[in-house]
Amino acid sequence: MFKESSHIIAGISTKVDGNMKLDSSSVSDPAAYNRQLFFNRRGFSDRPIISAGLVHGRRVAVIQATDPGGTVPGYDALITDGKGMMLTITVADCLPLYFYDPVKSVIAIAHAGWRGILDNIGGEVAASFKKNYGSQLSNIQVVIGPHLQKCHFEVQDDVASRFAANPEFIIKTDRTFIDLSGLVRRQLVSAGLADNNIRVSGECTYCLTDKYFSYRRDKGELKTMISYICLPGKE
Ligand SMILES: [Zn+2]
């Protein structure tokens, strides 16, 4: 996934892995079971799994190496230098942003929907690398994972108007679409990252019916993928 991918465990689940959306109101949560199976199959059953609570905000939680795992409510991004910590978010159209600083050995993951992108969550994560770990921004690598691409992120005028400051990412035909990953890339470069350190997946969650859940395509059905990143170690 990253340029120096051999050092990093990262990816996203697909439909065959089942629904990964945790439902804390359910006593016997099938998604929790699916998650455990998913990480077991990959041989990661012994690691603390930390999940961002997701509120379409921009806050970044710093996760210590001693964290036992669990959900971190009120956050959309997680960052750590702890080895073996599995950082996760769930997505089903929103953009999963994976971050890696190979020099400081720090990772982060962020859940970026259009609201979080308007709040520049990517730039917030970049700032967190610098503030908490002294990262050089030019060293940070980013991968933007599968998401609702500009072929399918159609918006009405109310949402389009929120992007008026970034007209180059608004595509107008007889309908209106927004190129969210294009905007995130520009925000990251504005934050100080190198353009050639940013990779964007071409996969669209809506287009790939057999591979991914899509909130938009599935008409609000609450099924999601899990995106994860982990610094290996302790082995
Ligand atoms: Zn599409």
Side-chain angles (χ1 to χ4, degrees):
M1 178 179 274
F2 295 97
K3 288 179 186 170
E4 298 170 50
S5 56
S6 59
H7 300 297
I8 288 292
I9 298 158
I12 185 168
S13 67
T14 63
K15 266 189 168 180
V16 296
D17 300 303
N19 176 27
M20 298 290 174
K21 184 170 183 68
L22 284 182
D23 177 7
S24 53
S25 65
S26 167
V27 178
S28 58
D29 186 341
Y33 177 74
N34 285 341
R35 284 180 175 212
Q36 198 59 57
L37 266 186
F38 176 76
F39 287 116
N40 285 355
R41 267 192 232 113
R42 283 158 184 76
F44 305 144
S45 55
D46 56 335
R47 292 161 204 253
I49 297 172
I50 301 109
S51 307
L54 309 185
V55 290
H56 290 282
R58 57 184 274 170
R59 296 169 70 203
V60 186
V62 178
I63 305 300
Q64 308 298 332
T66 51
D67 193 294
T71 302
V72 188
Y75 288 86
D76 284 84
L78 306 169
I79 188 167
T80 194
D81 63 354
K83 307 233 183 312
M85 316 293 290
M86 187 66 74
L87 306 185
T88 76
I89 55 167
T90 49
V91 283
D93 284 345
C94 287
L95 288 62
L97 312 182
Y98 306 82
F99 294 77
Y100 174 41
D101 175 353
V103 177
K104 295 286 184 179
S105 203
V106 178
I107 52 168
I109 196 163
H111 163 262
W114 65 266
R115 294 179 189 81
I117 291 168
L118 284 172
D119 282 342
N120 192 16
I121 185 171
E124 283 294 305
V125 177
S128 182
F129 270 87
K130 190 171 181 179
K131 176 174 164 232
N132 293 293
Y133 302 100
S135 291
Q136 292 271 356
L137 294 171
S138 58
N139 290 331
I140 299 173
Q141 300 177 20
V142 174
V143 174
I144 301 176
H147 60 278
L148 192 67
Q149 304 265 4
K150 60 188 174 192
C151 48
H152 276 107
F153 185 45
E154 181 181 355
V155 296
Q156 303 304 314
D157 290 346
D158 56 333
V159 173
S161 66
R162 307 275 296 271
F163 289 86
N166 304 285
E168 59 274 54
F169 302 108
I170 302 175
I171 301 121
K172 279 200 181 274
T173 56
D174 53 326
R175 297 177 286 163
T176 305
F177 298 87
I178 294 181
D179 175 10
L180 290 175
S181 54
L183 177 52
V184 170
R185 176 189 279 273
R186 199 185 56 190
Q187 289 172 332
L188 291 170
V189 171
S190 297
L193 273 67
D195 189 62
N196 63 3
N197 277 342
I198 302 167
R199 293 181 46 210
V200 182
S201 165
E203 291 192 328
C204 174
T205 45
Y206 194 115
C207 288
L208 296 174
T209 312
D210 295 335
K211 189 169 183 184
Y212 297 120
F213 298 114
S214 164
Y215 187 78
R216 175 80 58 114
R217 184 194 64 226
D218 302 340
K219 308 246 181 301
E221 201 179 322
L222 292 174
K223 290 185 175 171
T224 68
M225 287 78 74
I226 192 166
S227 290
Y228 60 95
I229 188 166
C230 179
L231 280 171
K234 299 177 179 172
E235 68 232 331

